[in-house]
Short mmCIF file of all heavy atoms in Angstrom, two decimals:
data_model
loop_
_atom_site.label_atom_id
_atom_site.label_comp_id
_atom_site.label_asym_id
_atom_site.label_seq_id
_atom_site.Cartn_x
_atom_site.Cartn_y
_atom_site.Cartn_z
N GLU Z 1 15.42 15.23 -7.67
CA GLU Z 1 15.39 15.53 -9.10
C GLU Z 1 14.76 14.40 -9.90
O GLU Z 1 14.22 14.62 -10.98
CB GLU Z 1 16.80 15.83 -9.60
CG GLU Z 1 17.39 17.11 -9.02
CD GLU Z 1 18.74 17.43 -9.60
OE1 GLU Z 1 19.44 16.49 -10.05
OE2 GLU Z 1 19.12 18.61 -9.60
N VAL Z 2 14.85 13.16 -9.37
CA VAL Z 2 14.29 12.00 -10.05
C VAL Z 2 13.54 11.15 -9.05
O VAL Z 2 14.05 10.84 -7.97
CB VAL Z 2 15.40 11.14 -10.72
CG1 VAL Z 2 14.76 10.00 -11.51
CG2 VAL Z 2 16.27 11.99 -11.63
N ILE Z 3 12.30 10.77 -9.38
CA ILE Z 3 11.46 9.94 -8.50
C ILE Z 3 11.02 8.70 -9.27
O ILE Z 3 10.47 8.82 -10.38
CB ILE Z 3 10.23 10.71 -8.01
CG1 ILE Z 3 10.65 11.92 -7.19
CG2 ILE Z 3 9.31 9.81 -7.19
CD1 ILE Z 3 9.51 12.85 -6.82
N ASN Z 4 11.28 7.53 -8.70
CA ASN Z 4 10.80 6.28 -9.30
C ASN Z 4 9.31 6.14 -9.01
O ASN Z 4 8.90 5.97 -7.88
CB ASN Z 4 11.58 5.09 -8.74
CG ASN Z 4 11.18 3.78 -9.40
OD1 ASN Z 4 10.38 3.76 -10.34
ND2 ASN Z 4 11.72 2.69 -8.90
N LEU Z 5 8.50 6.19 -10.05
CA LEU Z 5 7.05 6.24 -9.89
C LEU Z 5 6.48 4.96 -9.28
O LEU Z 5 5.50 5.01 -8.53
CB LEU Z 5 6.40 6.51 -11.25
CG LEU Z 5 5.01 7.16 -11.24
CD1 LEU Z 5 5.04 8.47 -10.49
CD2 LEU Z 5 4.53 7.38 -12.65
N LEU Z 6 7.05 3.81 -9.60
CA LEU Z 6 6.51 2.54 -9.11
C LEU Z 6 6.57 2.44 -7.59
O LEU Z 6 5.76 1.75 -6.97
CB LEU Z 6 7.25 1.37 -9.74
CG LEU Z 6 6.97 1.10 -11.21
CD1 LEU Z 6 7.83 -0.05 -11.72
CD2 LEU Z 6 5.50 0.79 -11.44
N GLU Z 7 7.52 3.12 -7.00
CA GLU Z 7 7.68 3.08 -5.55
C GLU Z 7 6.47 3.67 -4.83
O GLU Z 7 6.16 3.30 -3.70
CB GLU Z 7 8.96 3.84 -5.15
CG GLU Z 7 9.29 3.79 -3.67
CD GLU Z 7 10.56 4.54 -3.35
OE1 GLU Z 7 11.33 4.85 -4.29
OE2 GLU Z 7 10.79 4.83 -2.16
N TYR Z 8 5.76 4.56 -5.49
CA TYR Z 8 4.62 5.25 -4.88
C TYR Z 8 3.30 4.91 -5.56
O TYR Z 8 2.31 5.60 -5.34
CB TYR Z 8 4.85 6.76 -4.95
CG TYR Z 8 6.10 7.22 -4.26
CD1 TYR Z 8 7.30 7.33 -4.98
CD2 TYR Z 8 6.11 7.52 -2.90
CE1 TYR Z 8 8.46 7.75 -4.35
CE2 TYR Z 8 7.26 7.94 -2.27
CZ TYR Z 8 8.44 8.05 -3.00
OH TYR Z 8 9.60 8.45 -2.38
N SER Z 9 3.30 3.88 -6.39
CA SER Z 9 2.10 3.56 -7.18
C SER Z 9 1.52 2.21 -6.81
O SER Z 9 2.19 1.35 -6.24
CB SER Z 9 2.45 3.54 -8.68
OG SER Z 9 2.96 4.76 -9.11
N GLU Z 10 0.24 2.06 -7.16
CA GLU Z 10 -0.40 0.76 -7.16
C GLU Z 10 -0.64 0.39 -8.61
O GLU Z 10 -0.95 1.25 -9.44
CB GLU Z 10 -1.73 0.81 -6.39
CG GLU Z 10 -1.55 1.08 -4.91
CD GLU Z 10 -2.88 1.15 -4.18
OE1 GLU Z 10 -3.70 2.00 -4.58
OE2 GLU Z 10 -3.09 0.36 -3.25
N ILE Z 11 -0.49 -0.90 -8.96
CA ILE Z 11 -0.56 -1.29 -10.36
C ILE Z 11 -1.64 -2.35 -10.59
O ILE Z 11 -2.01 -3.10 -9.69
CB ILE Z 11 0.79 -1.80 -10.88
CG1 ILE Z 11 1.14 -3.17 -10.24
CG2 ILE Z 11 1.89 -0.80 -10.59
CD1 ILE Z 11 2.34 -3.82 -10.88
N TYR Z 12 -2.11 -2.37 -11.84
CA TYR Z 12 -3.08 -3.37 -12.29
C TYR Z 12 -2.62 -3.87 -13.65
O TYR Z 12 -2.45 -3.08 -14.59
CB TYR Z 12 -4.49 -2.77 -12.38
CG TYR Z 12 -5.53 -3.70 -12.96
CD1 TYR Z 12 -6.16 -4.65 -12.17
CD2 TYR Z 12 -5.87 -3.63 -14.31
CE1 TYR Z 12 -7.12 -5.51 -12.70
CE2 TYR Z 12 -6.83 -4.47 -14.85
CZ TYR Z 12 -7.44 -5.41 -14.04
OH TYR Z 12 -8.38 -6.26 -14.57
N HIS Z 13 -2.42 -5.19 -13.76
CA HIS Z 13 -1.96 -5.79 -15.02
C HIS Z 13 -3.18 -6.10 -15.88
O HIS Z 13 -3.98 -6.97 -15.56
CB HIS Z 13 -1.16 -7.07 -14.73
CG HIS Z 13 -0.53 -7.66 -15.93
ND1 HIS Z 13 -0.02 -8.94 -15.94
CD2 HIS Z 13 -0.30 -7.16 -17.19
CE1 HIS Z 13 0.48 -9.21 -17.13
NE2 HIS Z 13 0.32 -8.15 -17.90
N ASP Z 14 -3.30 -5.38 -16.99
CA ASP Z 14 -4.47 -5.49 -17.87
C ASP Z 14 -4.14 -6.41 -19.05
O ASP Z 14 -3.74 -5.96 -20.12
CB ASP Z 14 -4.86 -4.09 -18.36
CG ASP Z 14 -6.11 -4.10 -19.23
OD1 ASP Z 14 -6.76 -5.15 -19.32
OD2 ASP Z 14 -6.41 -3.05 -19.82
N VAL Z 15 -4.32 -7.72 -18.85
CA VAL Z 15 -4.04 -8.69 -19.91
C VAL Z 15 -5.12 -8.59 -20.98
O VAL Z 15 -6.32 -8.69 -20.69
CB VAL Z 15 -3.99 -10.12 -19.34
CG1 VAL Z 15 -3.73 -11.13 -20.46
CG2 VAL Z 15 -2.92 -10.23 -18.28
N GLY Z 16 -4.71 -8.37 -22.21
CA GLY Z 16 -5.66 -8.23 -23.31
C GLY Z 16 -6.11 -6.81 -23.57
O GLY Z 16 -6.88 -6.55 -24.50
N ASN Z 17 -5.63 -5.86 -22.74
CA ASN Z 17 -6.01 -4.45 -22.90
C ASN Z 17 -7.52 -4.27 -22.96
O ASN Z 17 -8.07 -3.59 -23.83
CB ASN Z 17 -5.37 -3.86 -24.17
CG ASN Z 17 -3.87 -3.67 -24.02
OD1 ASN Z 17 -3.37 -3.41 -22.92
ND2 ASN Z 17 -3.14 -3.83 -25.12
N LYS Z 18 -8.21 -4.85 -21.99
CA LYS Z 18 -9.67 -4.82 -21.98
C LYS Z 18 -10.24 -3.59 -21.27
O LYS Z 18 -11.39 -3.21 -21.50
CB LYS Z 18 -10.20 -6.10 -21.32
CG LYS Z 18 -9.80 -7.37 -22.04
CD LYS Z 18 -10.28 -8.61 -21.28
CE LYS Z 18 -9.84 -9.89 -21.97
NZ LYS Z 18 -10.25 -11.10 -21.22
N GLU Z 19 -9.44 -2.99 -20.39
CA GLU Z 19 -9.98 -1.94 -19.53
C GLU Z 19 -9.88 -0.56 -20.18
O GLU Z 19 -8.98 -0.29 -20.98
CB GLU Z 19 -9.23 -1.91 -18.19
CG GLU Z 19 -9.21 -3.23 -17.45
CD GLU Z 19 -10.58 -3.68 -17.00
OE1 GLU Z 19 -11.52 -2.86 -16.98
OE2 GLU Z 19 -10.71 -4.87 -16.66
N THR Z 20 -10.84 0.30 -19.83
CA THR Z 20 -10.79 1.72 -20.18
C THR Z 20 -10.67 2.51 -18.88
O THR Z 20 -10.79 1.94 -17.78
CB THR Z 20 -12.05 2.15 -20.93
OG1 THR Z 20 -13.18 2.07 -20.02
CG2 THR Z 20 -12.30 1.25 -22.14
N ILE Z 21 -10.47 3.79 -18.98
CA ILE Z 21 -10.37 4.60 -17.77
C ILE Z 21 -11.66 4.54 -16.96
O ILE Z 21 -11.64 4.57 -15.73
CB ILE Z 21 -10.00 6.06 -18.10
CG1 ILE Z 21 -9.80 6.88 -16.82
CG2 ILE Z 21 -11.04 6.70 -19.01
CD1 ILE Z 21 -8.72 6.36 -15.91
N PHE Z 22 -12.79 4.39 -17.65
CA PHE Z 22 -14.07 4.37 -16.94
C PHE Z 22 -14.30 3.04 -16.22
O PHE Z 22 -14.85 3.01 -15.11
CB PHE Z 22 -15.20 4.66 -17.93
CG PHE Z 22 -15.04 5.95 -18.65
CD1 PHE Z 22 -14.64 5.99 -19.98
CD2 PHE Z 22 -15.26 7.16 -17.99
CE1 PHE Z 22 -14.47 7.19 -20.64
CE2 PHE Z 22 -15.09 8.37 -18.64
CZ PHE Z 22 -14.70 8.39 -19.97
N SER Z 23 -13.85 1.95 -16.80
CA SER Z 23 -14.00 0.65 -16.14
C SER Z 23 -12.98 0.48 -15.02
O SER Z 23 -13.26 -0.13 -13.99
CB SER Z 23 -13.87 -0.49 -17.14
OG SER Z 23 -12.58 -0.53 -17.73
N ILE Z 24 -11.78 1.04 -15.22
CA ILE Z 24 -10.73 0.86 -14.22
C ILE Z 24 -11.00 1.66 -12.95
O ILE Z 24 -10.56 1.30 -11.86
CB ILE Z 24 -9.35 1.22 -14.81
CG1 ILE Z 24 -8.23 0.46 -14.10
CG2 ILE Z 24 -9.09 2.72 -14.73
CD1 ILE Z 24 -8.21 -1.01 -14.34
#
């Protein structure tokens, strides 16, 4: 009923919010 998303995800820390979906 509940799934922790981070357990199945890969993450990228975007310092400064520089990335867009096209660059990422």
Side-chain angles (χ1 to χ4, degrees):
E1 293 184 335
V2 184
I3 298 172
N4 184 4
L5 204 56
L6 288 177
E7 184 179 345
Y8 301 92
S9 301
E10 294 179 302
I11 70 171
Y12 174 83
H13 187 194
D14 183 9
V15 179
N17 289 328
K18 299 176 182 178
E19 305 295 344
T20 67
I21 184 59
F22 303 105
S23 63
I24 206 68

